[in-house]
Amino acid sequence: EPYGVDQLYVYGIDEHSIDSDENRDQMEALHDGGGLVFNSQTPTLAMSVVDVLDVAVISYDPVASVAAAYHHPLGHKVYSYANPQIGIEQPYTYRRNYGLLLWQRDFDGAMDFAYHYAFNHVWNDFDDPTYRDHNFVYPTANGVIDTVQWEGFREAVDDVRYVATLQALVDGDVSGDADSAANLLLRLKRGGADELEDLDAVRDALIEQILYLQGDGPEPAFVTVCGNGVKDEGESCDDDDLGAADCTDFGYDAGTLA
């Protein structure tokens, strides 16, 4: 408490099933004392304790929306790790998988392992017969040396910040000027990995909308999205919104369009 910490989280048995009477009793006792439990789990193991695990840190590729759909109604959170594990020189993969992909799938965050971790000597990634070192950075006597994978992870955080900034502007809009921005967010949210192929272009689109809504930039081209129930500019219809169209437009004397 002197350091501003008001919530205690206790870590369960790492990467193992905690669905036993003994473990459940321990978690319930922790809850009774005001504490919470977080643990790294596979999606299947996390589901087995969804009722008592406060923060599930789920490994590998998260199943779209499924984990959050089960954990969130119980007031629990879902984080991602090991998708992929740390140390691979693939900045775009880290940027996508730990950024907007998690936002799309309603995850609460990422909790990967680790900033740097060596199985033997930290400057030799390949001196262990089984595992490569998990290095986002390499330590020195007076700091760390950056890597492309760390830069990808950092960009992932920034991507989510841009989305959150735009979402706040949309939520606070009362003028109707944010319809295009709302469509952009909906398209990104529902579009899956296909919408994340060019993350630089995604960020540019977010920034354009943010600057416009803040009064610091020109109005961007209007973004349309199919399935939002609103006939946007350039659409002939959208769900039940048919605009001014009626049956006479299609050569009929009367009837109901659907």
Side-chain angles (χ1 to χ4, degrees), residues 68-204:
Y70 284 100
H71 289 263
H72 285 172
L74 299 173
H76 300 165
K77 295 182 178 181
V78 184
Y79 280 63
S80 175
Y81 90 109
N83 184 38
Q85 194 56 276
I86 304 309
I88 304 171
E89 292 82 1
Q90 295 177 1
Y92 176 82
T93 299
Y94 288 102
R95 181 177 177 182
R96 179 194 62 212
N97 289 12
Y98 290 109
L100 294 185
L101 185 64
L102 295 185
W103 169 74
Q104 282 183 337
R105 298 181 177 184
D106 293 325
F107 272 56
D108 298 287
M111 194 179 294
D112 224 329
F113 179 83
Y115 190 50
H116 61 77
Y117 180 84
F119 291 94
N120 282 301
H121 195 285
V122 71
W123 276 89
N124 186 343
D125 285 350
F126 307 104
D127 58 355
D128 183 88
T130 305
Y131 299 108
R132 178 178 176 173
D133 291 348
H134 298 334
N135 289 332
F136 260 150
V137 297
Y138 291 87
T140 71
N142 59 355
V144 296
I145 293 179
D146 198 4
T147 66
V148 292
Q149 54 265 33
W150 173 251
E151 289 302 312
F153 193 87
R154 181 189 58 77
E155 292 287 351
V157 175
D158 285 345
D159 285 339
V160 174
R161 286 173 171 164
Y162 280 111
V163 162
T165 298
L166 184 57
Q167 185 67 65
L169 290 169
V170 169
D171 291 344
D173 177 65
V174 294
S175 65
D177 291 338
D179 290 347
S180 177
N183 284 349
L184 173 62
L185 290 172
L186 182 61
R187 190 181 74 190
L188 291 174
K189 186 76 168 179
R190 300 190 319 187
D194 290 344
E195 285 288 344
L196 307 181
E197 289 184 358
D198 187 344
L199 288 170
D200 288 336
V202 169
R203 183 180 292 186
D204 287 345

Side-chain angles (χ1 to χ4, degrees), residues 24-43:
R24 283 179 168 274
D25 288 344
Q26 291 172 346
M27 286 186 280
E28 292 292 1
L30 184 63
H31 290 156
D32 291 342
L36 299 175
V37 183
F38 74 111
N39 195 222
S40 60
Q41 300 271 277
T42 66

Side-chain angles (χ1 to χ4, degrees), residues 170-248:
V170 169
D171 291 344
D173 177 65
V174 294
S175 65
D177 291 338
D179 290 347
S180 177
N183 284 349
L184 173 62
L185 290 172
L186 182 61
R187 190 181 74 190
L188 291 174
K189 186 76 168 179
R190 300 190 319 187
D194 290 344
E195 285 288 344
L196 307 181
E197 289 184 358
D198 187 344
L199 288 170
D200 288 336
V202 169
R203 183 180 292 186
D204 287 345
L206 293 168
I207 291 173
E208 286 181 350
Q209 297 286 348
I210 290 169
L211 291 177
Y212 169 63
L213 292 177
Q214 291 178 334
D216 295 321
E219 182 175 5
F222 193 86
V223 178
T224 61
V225 59
C226 185
N228 65 346
V230 178
K231 179 184 172 298
D232 293 315
E233 179 182 340
E235 292 185 310
S236 58
C237 64
D238 198 311
D239 290 341
D240 293 332
D241 187 349
L242 307 177
D246 59 30
C247 290
T248 61

